[in-house]
Amino acid sequence: MKAARFSSFGDPDVLGLVELPDPHPGPGEVRIAVRAAGVNASDWKKRRGLMDQELPQTLGYEAAGVVDEVGEGVTDAAVGDRVFGFCPDGAAQAELAVLAVRAPIPPSLGFAAAAALPSSIETAMRALDQLGVARGSTVLVNGASGSVGSAAVQFAVARGARVIGTAGPANHAFLRTLGAEPVAYGDGLVGRVRELAPDGVDLALDVAGSGVLPDLVGLAGGAGHVLTVADVAGAREYGVRFSRGDDGRAVHALAEIGPLIEAGRFAPPVVSTFPLAEIAEAHRAGESGRVRGKLVLLVG
Ligand SMILES: NC(=O)c1ccc[n+]([C@@H]2O[C@H](COP(=O)([O-])OP(=O)(O)OC[C@H]3O[C@@H](n4cnc5c(N)ncnc54)[C@H](OP(=O)(O)O)[C@@H]3O)[C@@H](O)[C@H]2O)c1
């Protein structure tokens, strides 16, 4: 099969497609003919040598496609099913990928929209689970308009929470459609949030990593009511929990998203697509910040 790979660290030109042996599913796993695979910021961090040091490296840990082989003991999927999920090998940007955790693609979603979901919805759900967001909570989401943030807003609203979200002015109308009350980020954030919630908020989630943890701690009444998925240094400095998923992943998000989407209670993500063969261009676009929505590579 063809798969994306790099053999040295560097700029996007180190990326290319190579021929690799076809993978096969182990017990409980399925193999898919990949139709679309998500691209994340960690992809260019890996390519630059800022994460794993071994070479060569494949890329991609989320994908959507059609099951073409099932491993021993699999009862929730059959050959021909449209599924999306996580590729534990980190080699989903390829013609074939093995998925360990997966769920049926919601009927109204195409492959590209489905491939954009696993990482962002798992991260958002995990953060809300760890914070304990429930009916009646007032939650502040910093960075509410991006892939993870907009998922967190929608899951929190679905749980019956009141959500205040920070975003750039161009995304305030979008946040309202998701059920959040928008505020601008930047200087004066605390005052703007207190205009909406004079007593502060119950819980705060930092998705943007924009250096506002002290503000969030103040608004939420203590570091124990705040969680970040994007600010490792700030978390250490201010005693805030940093969640990276090594303490358990909220994979139940994959099964729960289908009914929400089909009920019109979760807006599928906006995606920007590139053919797999143009992976270097996809990285350039992603690193420059000139893409709208989530980057997805199309396969086949
Ligand atoms: N720890 C984990 O398990 C985990 C997993 C996945 C992702 N992440 C991290 O989560 C973060 C978000 O990922 P993503 O995919 O959601 O990114 P994204 O889709 O690119 O969204 C980023 C958002 O940040 C907003 N933003 C920019 N500057 C801001 C500021 N100063 N204050 C508040 N918001 C600001 C932007 O809002 P506007 O466009 O409205 O300006 C944008 O929508 C990344 O740092 C990623 O590495 C962590």
Side-chain angles (χ1 to χ4, degrees):
M1 67 161 184
K2 286 195 171 50
R5 197 172 74 166
F6 57 91
S7 300
S8 59
F9 299 119
D11 68 21
D13 295 326
V14 300
L15 294 161
L17 297 189
V18 296
E19 200 60 47
L20 292 180
D22 292 353
H24 294 283
E29 297 176 334
V30 303
R31 187 178 78 178
I32 60 170
V34 178
R35 300 291 301 276
V39 178
N40 290 287
S42 57
D43 288 15
W44 40 90
K45 291 183 193 160
K46 288 180 182 207
R47 194 207 70 223
R48 292 181 198 155
L50 303 176
M51 291 176 72
D52 316 325
Q53 287 309 305
E54 84 269 15
L55 286 170
Q57 281 184 44
T58 53
L59 287 167
Y61 49 87
E62 56 184 351
V66 179
V67 175
D68 79 343
E69 198 176 318
V70 295
E72 197 188 315
V74 169
T75 55
D76 64 337
V79 170
D81 287 356
R82 284 167 22 109
V83 297
F84 72 121
F86 287 109
C87 172
D89 305 335
Q93 293 167 13
E95 290 175 323
L96 297 169
V98 168
L99 300 186
V101 175
R102 70 267 155 185
I105 296 176
S108 65
L109 282 197
F111 289 108
L117 286 173
S119 170
S120 55
I121 65 173
E122 187 281 322
T123 304
M125 188 69 90
R126 167 167 31 94
L128 300 188
D129 288 353
Q130 292 177 345
L131 272 172
V133 173
R135 177 169 300 281
S137 311
T138 297
V139 191
L140 173 61
V141 178
N142 179 51
S145 59
S147 302
V148 178
S150 63
V153 167
Q154 295 181 86
F155 287 145
V157 168
R159 289 182 186 197
R162 176 187 178 198
V163 184
I164 298 170
T166 74
N171 280 319
H172 285 196
F174 169 60
L175 285 196
R176 280 194 198 93
T177 68
L178 304 182
E181 297 163 61
V183 291
Y185 49 71
D187 287 349
L189 171 66
V190 171
R192 286 189 293 279
V193 173
R194 286 207 185 271
E195 275 174 33
L196 295 173
D199 297 331
V201 297
D202 299 316
L203 300 164
L205 168 60
D206 171 39
V207 176
S210 53
V212 295
L213 289 182
D215 290 347
L216 302 193
V217 169
L219 284 164
H225 301 154
V226 181
L227 182 143
T228 178
V229 297
D231 188 352
V232 184
R236 207 174 297 123
E237 188 170 353
Y238 300 107
V240 165
R241 180 171 184 177
F242 181 85
S243 176
R244 61 166 58 82
D246 45 7
D247 46 358
R249 291 194 178 271
V251 293
H252 62 98
L254 269 59
E256 289 175 22
I257 195 76
L260 284 177
I261 287 177
E262 297 311 307
R265 296 174 67 203
F266 189 101
V270 173
V271 296
S272 290
T273 61
F274 289 80
L276 178 62
E278 291 174 23
I279 182 172
E281 192 47 34
H283 275 225
R284 274 185 211 101
E287 286 176 286
S288 72
R290 64 184 152 85
V291 275
R292 178 160 153 64
K294 169 101 181 187
L295 270 175
V296 170
L297 296 168
L298 300 179
V299 183

